[in-house]
Amino acid sequence: MAEEQQQQGRGDTSRRQGDRYLLSSDDIRTFHTNGYVHLKGVLSEEEMCELEKEFMAFLRREVPVEGRDFCDMSADYTKPVESFSIINIMLPSKYNPQLKGNIYEKRAASISEQLLGPDMVVDYDQLLSKPPNKPDAEFKWHQDLAYWPVTADTRTASFWLAIDNSTVENGCVQFVPGSHLEKSLRHHGPLHGDRDKSHTLAATLTTSDLPKPAELNRGDATVHHERILHGSGGNFSSDSWRRAWVMAYRSKTTVDEERRMGFTHSHNDNLTVLNSVGRETQVSS
Ligand SMILES: O=C(O)CCC(=O)C(=O)O
């Protein structure tokens, strides 16, 4: 324990050990108790610069991305690309396979293993950007599991890596601590009435839900549980982007099960499978 405190006191360079990032027992406890944990300095500035170059190639549309995998999570599919408020790029490492095995992926693998065990593999990745001056760039409250099909093992470590400093002003993610412990998923409805019009699902908060903003510095990451309620507000900053690189680790068995159903997390997937919220709603009603 004294050693952990020393490590934290020294800052985070000592927690990065080659491809690994060392968690403290406190980090592990926080993830399981609150449903998310904030990890400082998961990547160095030099490592961030390399990743940012790849990120920008997608934003400049130099890497072709198919159909709905380039979309706006705050709007329906008819909104013109030039005015997107939450630019969402699904599966960057499918569209640029050279991204596979990057340093972020490796550190995230080591963190997932410490949190959830040795059988975790990458399920999907995603790039999310809110340009400045986008008050409508709201990512609606949701639980990730509501988006996914029913599988036997739901364990997930979802990483959200800050490419820019992320603040309440530019629309950082907010989590409702402890909400992952509820027995059933909340009710989620399609934001635009129909999943064919937009991929986005939305849940509503109750007065007893107390969201906590996760303000991160560039290179920090949060890791969250598949059932935690989270969302984010608009970007009210006049000059700051809010870019994030998301990566989700799930068990190999679960990823194999999803793929057998034809579910890849692409927004071009044919949604014939019942998602988890549909199943839990049916079971509980
Ligand atoms: O970036 C956001 O605002 C939301 C991201 C999110 O929902 C997620 O990473 O699961």
Side-chain angles (χ1 to χ4, degrees):
M1 192 62 177
E3 195 186 323
E4 270 164 24
Q5 273 162 0
Q6 247 179 15
Q7 266 183 11
Q8 284 167 358
R10 274 204 304 267
D12 301 295
T13 46
S14 60
R15 308 182 87 192
R16 294 193 297 267
Q17 305 272 323
D19 291 348
R20 291 178 59 75
Y21 180 96
L22 304 182
L23 297 183
S24 65
S25 49
D26 217 31
D27 294 328
I28 298 172
R29 200 173 319 114
T30 301
F31 174 80
H32 291 292
T33 309
N34 289 352
Y36 72 103
V37 60
H38 174 173
L39 302 175
K40 294 190 177 167
V42 172
L43 294 175
S44 69
E45 181 51 32
E46 202 181 332
E47 292 160 345
M48 288 303 295
C49 288
E50 288 305 308
L51 282 179
E52 188 176 17
K53 274 190 226 151
E54 306 293 347
F55 197 117
M56 291 312 291
F58 279 95
L59 273 188
R60 286 194 297 264
R61 309 220 61 184
E62 290 160 9
V63 184
V65 171
E66 280 165 25
R68 294 174 170 186
D69 283 343
F70 195 103
C71 71
D72 183 339
M73 286 304 283
S74 69
D76 66 29
Y77 290 126
T78 61
K79 191 166 181 185
V81 171
E82 319 74 69
S83 48
F84 277 11
S85 295
I86 304 182
I87 306 164
N88 178 32
I89 297 157
M90 290 309 297
L91 309 180
S93 61
K94 167 184 162 185
Y95 294 109
N96 175 6
Q98 287 183 348
L99 289 177
K100 291 197 177 120
N102 68 59
I103 184 67
Y104 172 31
E105 189 182 306
K106 288 179 178 157
R107 294 238 170 91
S110 111
I111 294 166
S112 305
E113 182 184 358
Q114 293 167 78
L115 289 173
L116 296 169
D119 55 336
M120 309 299 284
V121 296
V122 181
D123 186 6
Y124 69 92
D125 50 3
Q126 179 178 13
L127 308 178
L128 284 165
S129 305
K130 298 182 185 181
N133 281 319
K134 293 285 185 188
D136 64 340
E138 262 181 50
F139 206 121
K140 297 295 176 189
W141 296 106
H142 66 281
Q143 294 162 295
D144 292 342
L145 193 58
Y147 277 92
W148 305 335
V150 178
T151 52
D153 173 4
T154 64
R155 283 174 303 142
T156 312
S158 283
F159 290 78
W160 195 100
L161 173 73
I163 307 291
D164 305 292
N165 292 341
S166 174
T167 61
V168 171
E169 189 192 17
N170 71 10
C172 67
V173 179
Q174 311 218 12
F175 295 99
V176 179
S179 53
H180 65 302
L181 299 173
E182 292 173 10
K183 276 226 281 299
S184 301
L185 289 171
R186 302 286 181 95
H187 172 75
H188 288 67
L191 180 60
H192 294 279
D194 179 345
R195 285 311 284 291
D196 240 17
K197 295 207 176 92
S198 134
H199 193 78
T200 307
L201 296 174
T204 35
L205 294 193
T206 67
T207 48
S208 51
D209 292 322
L210 302 173
K212 275 189 76 172
E215 293 197 306
L216 308 187
N217 288 329
R218 173 176 163 92
D220 291 1
T222 49
V223 192
H224 66 263
H225 185 283
E226 66 277 10
R227 301 181 80 100
I228 193 159
L229 200 49
H230 61 291
S232 63
N235 186 348
F236 294 90
S237 163
S238 56
D239 56 1
S240 143
W241 279 70
R242 197 229 65 175
R243 293 168 298 168
W245 196 314
V246 169
M247 194 168 277
Y249 276 76
R250 310 195 78 200
S251 72
K252 174 151 186 352
T253 318
T254 299
V255 174
D256 290 346
E257 204 179 334
E258 284 183 338
R259 300 299 179 269
R260 277 197 301 277
M261 296 176 200
F263 186 83
T264 70
H265 295 267
S266 165
H267 290 195
N268 303 317
D269 282 350
N270 219 336
L271 285 173
T272 48
V273 287
L274 187 62
N275 62 21
S276 298
V277 79
R279 167 66 78 85
E280 289 196 8
T281 308
Q282 276 184 353
V283 168
S284 61
S285 59

